[in-house]
Amino acid sequence: MLTSKLAHWFARRKHGNAADARLQTDALPVDPQAASVPERSFSIPVLCYHSWAMSGNAYEGNDHVALESDLKTLGRRGYQILPIPTLVALLRGEIDARPFTGSKLVSLSCDDARDFDYYPTVNDTMDPVPGFHEILERSRQWCDQTCAGPRAVSFVIASPEARRILDHTCGRGRDEWRDSWWLECAEKGTLGIANHGWDHVHDTLPAVRQRENKKGSFFEIDTFGDAEGQIVDAQRYIDGCTGSRSLPLFGYPYGHVPAYLRDEYFPNEAARIGIRAAFGTGGASVRPDTCIWDIPRFVCGWHWKGADGFEDLLDAIERGER
């Protein structure tokens, strides 16, 4: 049986919709007697994409092209998608790692959640661009999945006012940074919705939720009050938009992981605020000793560039170098 804590969590979060699984998994429950380090051996990359990157029709500069290409490459190389909620349960020791040992696994995410995460659009040269959601749906024919759960997670910026401003300062000013699609997306279950902070402490905003209005770095969120404003208020808003179907995960804006949040705030407050893991952009694979409050990811366009660069990254991961 599942541990009583996990069973209680399932019961509390269930909404009667199979697509909703905030922690769906068909993996085996953990056996306390089977928690030895060798049996928990795994190395799993988590990839990150941005739907606002859609310049031209080539891989480099267009993360939609990159995502589709990468999913085909992953399938060809024998990888399976591990839903991020299952990855978190695995890292927390709540499910048995043995079924995953020796498998080629990958988890997927995207940050900032412009409308293009969900909806198709056209780029500035009027070329059609499919939304990430459509690509993930079609990818079922290219790349298998280990168990039930979202194929990827979209980390969303909560503040409507911040998104309205960012739509003009960082986007095309066409009202393309909405939250109207979050509920439908969460219900479908292909692309999960999770917390990317209240306002990203973005440097183009007139004011951010940081006690001294310091912008452009999430490392400045290093007090209890700032953390509550950026994380708790965001979680409350996102839960409201998704009918409490958002995933209990946090993605650090800019990938910045403040020591205070990693070492103090999340370990002490996570149960209260309903967050089970937090993701940075550390450029390493997830292993049994990975900190649950600093799960690294590889970012498209940063940690690898182009289809050949992705192959090189996978080669390095498979050699145990990344």
Side-chain angles (χ1 to χ4, degrees):
M1 296 177 62
L2 293 171
T3 63
S4 59
K5 181 178 180 181
L6 188 58
H8 172 72
W9 191 88
F10 268 114
R12 180 166 59 89
R13 293 299 187 184
K14 185 177 181 182
H15 296 276
N17 186 329
D20 171 30
R22 291 170 65 105
L23 184 60
Q24 289 183 17
T25 175
D26 291 340
L28 297 176
V30 68
D31 176 357
Q33 302 302 316
S36 65
V37 172
E39 291 175 337
R40 293 194 69 231
S41 177
F42 53 83
S43 180
I44 304 167
V46 183
L47 309 180
C48 177
Y49 300 83
H50 294 87
S51 67
W52 46 259
M54 54 178 183
S55 177
N57 290 312
Y59 187 115
E60 293 191 53
N62 190 323
D63 277 19
H64 302 256
V65 173
L67 177 60
E68 179 165 332
S69 174
D70 292 347
L71 282 162
K72 291 176 178 177
T73 298
L74 288 164
R76 175 174 51 79
R77 293 181 64 135
Y79 280 82
Q80 291 181 293
I81 294 174
L82 182 70
I84 281 183
T86 308
L87 173 69
V88 170
L90 181 64
L91 190 55
R92 294 175 71 99
E94 295 167 343
I95 57 176
D96 193 343
R98 289 174 294 180
F100 305 107
T101 301
S103 299
K104 288 184 174 181
L105 303 173
V106 64
S107 295
L108 305 173
S109 65
C110 49
D111 280 3
D112 302 336
R114 293 201 198 175
D115 287 1
F116 324 129
D117 278 20
Y118 191 63
Y119 294 120
T121 186
V122 293
N123 61 17
D124 290 340
T125 55
M126 299 307 293
D127 298 305
V129 178
F132 280 175
H133 187 274
E134 177 186 334
I135 296 169
L136 290 165
E137 284 281 8
R138 286 194 281 113
S139 74
R140 298 182 192 278
Q141 63 187 302
W142 314 318
C143 190
D144 291 336
Q145 185 166 320
T146 60
C147 57
R151 290 178 75 76
V153 170
S154 173
F155 289 101
V156 307
I157 298 171
S159 167
E161 177 64 12
R163 285 185 278 108
R164 185 188 65 78
I165 295 171
L166 292 171
D167 185 63
H168 289 269
T169 60
C170 300
R172 302 185 290 193
R174 301 177 184 173
D175 192 23
E176 295 172 321
W177 217 322
R178 298 166 293 177
D179 52 44
S180 56
W181 53 270
W182 295 358
L183 173 58
E184 183 177 290
C185 185
E187 288 177 332
K188 288 184 176 180
T190 297
L191 180 62
I193 303 296
N195 188 342
H196 199 37
W198 180 254
D199 54 25
H200 211 286
V201 292
H202 203 278
D203 55 8
T204 66
L205 296 174
V208 297
R209 289 198 177 180
Q210 199 278 342
R211 62 196 181 280
E212 298 175 354
N213 201 32
K214 292 182 178 179
K215 310 169 190 176
S217 172
F218 208 69
F219 289 120
E220 301 295 343
I221 305 303
D222 58 1
T223 67
F224 182 85
D226 287 347
E228 292 284 291
Q230 283 292 339
I231 300 167
V232 176
D233 289 353
Q235 191 67 31
R236 185 178 300 117
Y237 183 84
I238 296 165
D239 272 345
C241 289
T242 61
S244 295
R245 288 171 170 80
S246 64
L247 297 167
L249 310 170
F250 185 76
Y252 293 101
Y254 305 109
H256 294 171
V257 182
Y260 168 72
L261 297 183
R262 181 193 63 213
D263 300 335
E264 297 182 42
Y265 182 78
F266 276 129
N268 293 323
E269 306 297 334
R272 171 179 64 86
I273 64 180
I275 298 292
R276 288 170 50 80
F279 291 76
T281 54
S285 294
V286 179
R287 298 181 172 89
D289 61 350
T290 295
C291 175
I292 198 71
W293 307 119
D294 185 7
I295 299 175
R297 293 180 291 167
F298 297 97
V299 180
C300 182
W302 176 19
H303 294 109
W304 82 90
K305 293 179 173 66
D308 290 342
F310 186 60
E311 296 269 14
D312 292 342
L313 175 65
L314 293 178
D315 288 343
I317 289 169
E318 291 168 21
R319 292 193 300 265
E321 298 170 1
R322 300 293 298 272

